Amino acid sequence: MTDTLTQLAAVLEQRKQESADSSYVASLYAKGLDTILKKIGEEATETVIAAKDGDKQQIIYEMADLWFHSMVLLAHQDLSPDDVLAELQRRFGLSGLEEKAQRTQ
């Protein structure tokens, strides 16, 4: 599974060097952070609606869009999925309450 994230991250990084008319992702980078954030908001809303409707296939589809656009944001900010996975690993085994209390210290 992480191979897919790694491969996608590499493609997204490559798209940063390409012209805006060469791909959808390159056009997002050219339009800037506000456009990327807007797409994440749209995809998050569509994911919520799919979940509310209980349509499992639509949830998967919309969640894939949300993850994809979130990864575009990571690449735009010079971050990688490994950065997020490391944070999830750090939190693993902690209760949510304990993890949250550590953040406020």
Side-chain angles (χ1 to χ4, degrees):
M1 179 168 37
T2 57
D3 286 346
T4 301
L5 294 178
T6 301
Q7 291 169 357
L8 178 55
V11 170
L12 295 176
E13 193 63 34
Q14 177 186 354
R15 296 290 194 265
K16 289 167 68 174
Q17 308 307 317
E18 297 179 4
S19 67
D21 60 352
S22 68
S23 74
Y24 170 69
V25 172
S27 73
L28 285 176
Y29 291 138
K31 292 175 185 172
L33 182 60
D34 286 349
T35 297
I36 295 168
L37 296 175
K38 181 179 175 188
K39 283 303 300 179
I40 291 172
E42 289 171 7
E43 299 304 342
T45 299
E46 290 170 1
T47 302
V48 168
I49 292 168
K52 185 147 176 59
D53 291 345
D55 184 338
K56 291 184 180 192
Q57 191 56 46
Q58 195 65 25
I59 294 168
I60 293 168
Y61 180 84
E62 297 300 346
M63 187 65 72
D65 283 350
L66 179 57
W67 284 15
F68 176 85
H69 288 90
S70 295
M71 288 183 64
V72 170
L73 173 63
L74 288 174
H76 185 268
Q77 299 291 336
D78 296 322
L79 296 167
S80 77
D82 287 337
D83 297 318
V84 178
L85 292 172
E87 176 59 17
L88 289 173
Q89 181 62 41
R90 183 191 71 77
R91 294 179 186 187
F92 193 78
L94 295 175
S95 77
L97 296 174
E98 183 180 2
E99 193 281 324
K100 187 173 181 179
Q102 286 179 356
R103 280 190 264 162
T104 58
Q105 295 175 354

